[in-house]
Amino acid sequence: MTTAAPVLVAGRPARLLFVHAHPDDEMLATGVAIAHHVAAGDEVHVLTCTLGEQGEVIPHELAHLDADHEDTLGEFRRDELRGAMTAIGAHSTVLGEDPAVGRLSRWRDSGMAGTTGAHDPRAWVRSDDERAVAAVTEVIASVAPDLVVTYDARGGYDHPDHVRTHEVTRRALAGMDEGSRPALFAVLTPRSWAQEDRDVLAVVDEVRGLGWALPTGDFPPSVVADEVVTHAVVDETAVERQVAALRHHRTQVTLGPRGTYALSNDIVARLCGREGYARLDVTTGEPLPALVPGERPPLVARR
C-alpha cells in the first residue's frame, strides 16, 4: 500500500471533489480523507447527487419526515448536510440544486435495491444518461479538481444509487479531454482491515448494552484483497472531526462509544481513522495496479 506526503499542485494546495449519492455517505465512506485534506489546507468539495429522500429515519420524533408520511426528509437532510459540511470545512453542492426556483435537487433517492423508490420517474437510477452525465460534468468543470473520489463499480455494497453515481461520474470523466482529466479514485477497504475491525468490535464491551448486533457474514463488495488498495489515508486525529460532522446526520446515524456507530439496521460499525483507495480506469471502472516507480500518489496517507 502506497503512502505519501501532502500534495502540492503547481505550487498550490490540492483540490479534491468527492461525489456521493446521499447526505451522510460523504462522512461514512470518505470522512477521514475529507477531514485530513481540509486540515492539510487543501480545497475539498463534496457533490451529493440526491437528498436521500427514501432514507429510514432513526429518531422516533422525526419519523413523520419519511417518504411514507410527510415526504419532507430530503429538505431536512439538506440541512443536515449543510451542518456536516460546515463542521468539517468542506464546500457542498447538491446536483441540480437551484435556489432561484426553489429546487433542492434535480434527482431523487431511489431507495435500496428492491424497494419502490426506483419506480419514481425522478429517481436517480432512472436519470437520463445524457442529462446526468452533463450535470456531473458541469460540476467537475466548475470545481476543476486535481482528483475525483467516488464509489467502486459495485457502489460499495450494491446500493443502486451508489452504482449509478459511480457510473455517471466515470462517464463524465471519460468524456473529458485526457490532458485535463482529473484522476478518478474509488473507496476500497483492504480485507485485513475489515477483519481487524470485526475482531475489535467483538470485544468492545460498551456496545453490548446498546442492542446493536455485530457484523457477520460476507464482507461487502468494496472489501478487496489488500494488494488492490494502492493508496491510504491514515489519520486517527481526523476521527474527532469526522464524528463532529456525523452528529449533524442524526436521522441516519447513531453515534456510540469508542468510535462506534450504527445505521437504522442497528449493526455496529467502527470509525478508526483510516480509509483505502485505488485509482480507477475511467473506461472500465476497474482498479488500476500499483503505481509505477517514480509516480507520485495523489492522496495523502499518514499522520
Side-chain angles (χ1 to χ4, degrees):
M1 192 175 301
T2 306
T3 59
V7 177
L8 292 177
V9 181
R12 62 167 174 78
R15 187 179 301 125
L16 300 89
L17 174 63
F18 293 80
V19 186
H20 284 284
H22 317 106
D24 80 58
D25 290 336
E26 80 290 336
M27 282 297 108
L28 294 174
T30 57
V32 174
I34 290 172
H36 185 103
H37 278 277
V38 169
D42 293 329
E43 184 180 324
V44 177
H45 295 256
V46 174
L47 172 62
T48 309
C49 295
T50 81
L51 290 177
E53 295 88 347
Q54 296 295 129
E56 296 179 350
V57 177
I58 295 175
H60 296 300
E61 68 272 18
L62 297 176
H64 60 92
L65 299 172
D66 71 17
D68 293 330
H69 296 88
E70 294 178 3
D71 197 17
T72 54
L73 181 58
E75 182 177 355
F76 195 91
R77 293 186 73 180
R78 181 65 180 102
D79 287 340
E80 289 185 326
L81 179 63
R82 287 193 182 102
M85 294 297 90
T86 299
I88 207 74
H91 303 272
S92 175
T93 300
V94 175
L95 193 62
E97 183 176 27
D98 189 349
V101 298
R103 187 174 70 194
L104 296 179
S105 63
R106 169 65 179 81
W107 287 280
R108 182 181 172 92
D109 178 6
S110 311
M112 300 290 285
T115 60
T116 60
H119 300 305
D120 191 309
R122 299 167 294 171
W124 181 225
V125 294
R126 295 171 63 91
S127 58
D128 175 79
D129 285 347
E130 185 175 347
R131 291 180 179 178
V133 170
V136 171
T137 300
E138 183 179 355
V139 175
I140 295 173
S142 175
V143 173
D146 302 302
L147 60 91
V148 174
V149 181
T150 191
Y151 315 102
D152 66 296
R154 297 281 300 273
Y157 59 101
D158 286 331
H159 190 297
D161 281 339
H162 291 207
V163 174
R164 182 62 172 158
T165 299
H166 162 91
E167 177 184 80
V168 172
T169 303
R170 180 168 57 82
R171 290 184 59 184
L173 289 169
M176 299 178 67
D177 180 74
E178 188 174 357
S180 59
R181 179 192 299 153
L184 175 63
F185 281 79
V187 191
L188 294 167
T189 302
R191 185 173 297 275
S192 63
W193 286 9
Q195 186 58 57
E196 181 181 325
D197 285 346
R198 288 192 178 185
D199 293 342
V200 170
L201 288 170
V203 296
V204 177
D205 292 334
E206 291 92 333
V207 302
R208 295 179 183 175
L210 299 176
W212 292 348
L214 292 173
T216 59
D218 295 337
F219 290 119
S222 59
V223 175
V224 296
D226 285 28
E227 60 268 20
V228 176
V229 180
T230 54
H231 296 67
V233 181
V234 181
D235 183 359
E236 292 183 2
T237 69
V239 174
E240 182 177 353
R241 300 188 296 278
Q242 184 183 19
V243 167
L246 279 171
R247 287 197 182 99
H248 292 273
H249 288 302
R250 68 190 188 100
T251 63
Q252 306 298 303
V253 182
T254 302
L255 294 167
R258 293 178 59 181
T260 59
Y261 72 93
L263 305 181
S264 59
N265 59 9
D266 285 337
I267 297 175
V268 64
R270 184 177 178 227
L271 301 170
C272 52
R274 62 188 183 187
E275 291 162 357
Y277 296 90
R279 187 169 181 174
L280 300 184
D281 184 318
V282 296
T283 302
T284 66
E286 293 299 311
L288 294 170
L291 296 170
V292 298
E295 185 176 352
R296 185 175 60 185
L299 289 180
V300 296
R302 188 176 300 277
R303 171 172 291 179

